[in-house]
Amino acid sequence: MGQLRLFNRFGRVVQGASCLYDPNMNIAALFAPDHELAAHLLRLLDGQATDSAHDRAHLLRVWQNVRKISKIEGGDLTVLTAATLMHDFIHVPKDSPDRANASQRAADAAGAVLAALSWPEQQVSAVKHAIAAHSFSAGIPPRTLEARILQDADRLDALGHIGIARCLAVSGALNRPLYDPLDPQAQSRKLDDSAYALDHFQTKLLRLAGEFQTQTGRALADKRHAVLKQFYDGFISVVALR
């Protein structure tokens, strides 16, 4: 990823401790060589509604995953930069009935932003498709390499230690109980991840590893899936009624 450089609010590299700290510029530096594009898009994200699972830290993690996958699989990094930064541009809460449309709305918004920057139509379309297809709930098959990479990169963040933390953080924010104390594995009831955090492991998280699009993504997913499965099994061993 290269050495982290600190920028002041004028976009100049910090030389001394007295300079101002600009989070957007410092995050943008990690998107080199497209750091100017990244800085512009990050400023557009200022003030946007979000949650702890879809914040700037999430964007950086997804970008790290994109870079790991792209290093092996290829892909247009400029398209991937824009798609990564804007894939959650329209925030729709997890419990909203409009959740499945969030990625398409984000894609449309991204298309308008990039068209205003005079991007070629082909690149705009590539970014829009990657964003629309990244979402699990949208169910849109990724047709391009960049769309496959972004989908894998985003889903990697739903697995492993980070995936566990994100699931519990979002469920806590929505005031959902951790699990059904009488039937934690939903053996005698329907799974309902809108009611219990633990149900989300069975409805989505534990299914993800088998749906990755790239060979590199699948290899990374297998390791994180093992962490997820170990946590789930250990949780059940503690809470299951005997």
Side-chain angles (χ1 to χ4, degrees):
M1 295 296 291
Q3 183 179 5
L4 176 63
R5 295 182 298 166
L6 299 181
F7 291 81
N8 62 21
R9 63 189 175 92
F10 301 106
R12 301 189 181 97
V13 178
V14 170
Q15 300 294 334
S18 61
C19 294
L20 296 174
Y21 174 81
D22 186 334
N24 281 342
M25 292 302 298
N26 288 294
I27 293 174
L30 298 174
F31 287 82
D34 294 302
H35 52 84
E36 291 185 3
L37 169 66
H40 176 72
L41 297 181
L42 284 164
R43 283 192 288 270
L44 295 180
L45 292 172
D46 282 338
Q48 294 277 13
T50 187
D51 57 48
S52 59
H54 301 89
D55 55 11
R56 277 167 166 70
H58 168 67
L59 295 180
L60 281 178
R61 293 191 303 270
V62 172
W63 178 241
Q64 288 176 327
N65 294 335
V66 164
R67 291 292 297 269
K68 288 177 184 177
I69 298 171
S70 180
K71 186 176 181 179
I72 305 299
E73 306 284 343
D76 185 327
L77 278 179
T78 299
V79 167
L80 285 165
T81 293
T84 298
L85 287 166
M86 302 194 76
H87 75 277
D88 288 328
F89 190 64
I90 302 297
H91 176 68
V92 179
K94 288 285 188 182
D95 58 347
S96 169
D98 196 38
R99 178 65 188 175
N101 297 320
S103 66
Q104 186 59 62
R105 290 173 57 189
D108 292 341
V113 168
L114 297 176
L117 294 175
S118 300
W119 270 42
E121 184 177 346
Q122 185 175 0
Q123 278 192 308
V124 174
S125 295
V127 172
K128 289 180 64 177
H129 173 62
I131 292 174
H134 91 275
S135 169
F136 180 87
S137 56
I140 299 172
R143 301 188 307 270
T144 65
L145 176 58
E146 290 76 21
R148 292 192 290 271
I149 290 174
L150 181 65
Q151 186 182 104
D152 281 4
D154 185 64
R155 292 186 183 188
L156 279 172
D157 207 48
L159 296 175
H161 298 92
I162 288 292
I164 295 166
R166 291 178 69 202
C167 175
L168 298 180
V170 170
S171 293
L174 295 172
N175 295 315
R176 292 173 182 166
L178 288 176
Y179 65 98
D180 180 346
L182 297 179
D183 190 3
Q185 292 180 280
Q187 295 174 322
S188 302
R189 62 176 177 83
K190 289 185 178 180
L191 288 167
D192 184 2
D193 60 359
S194 68
Y196 303 107
L198 195 65
D199 282 19
H200 194 57
F201 283 73
Q202 289 196 65
T203 59
K204 177 181 178 181
L205 302 185
L206 290 169
R207 295 165 47 192
L208 287 178
E211 301 177 359
F212 273 66
Q213 301 292 322
T214 67
Q215 184 175 352
T216 306
R218 284 192 292 273
L220 295 169
D222 286 344
K223 296 177 181 178
R224 299 192 186 198
H225 175 81
V227 172
L228 201 72
K229 185 67 163 59
Q230 183 181 37
F231 173 86
Y232 179 83
D233 291 344
F235 193 104
I236 291 297
S237 72
V238 173
V239 302
L241 297 176
R242 295 172 177 85

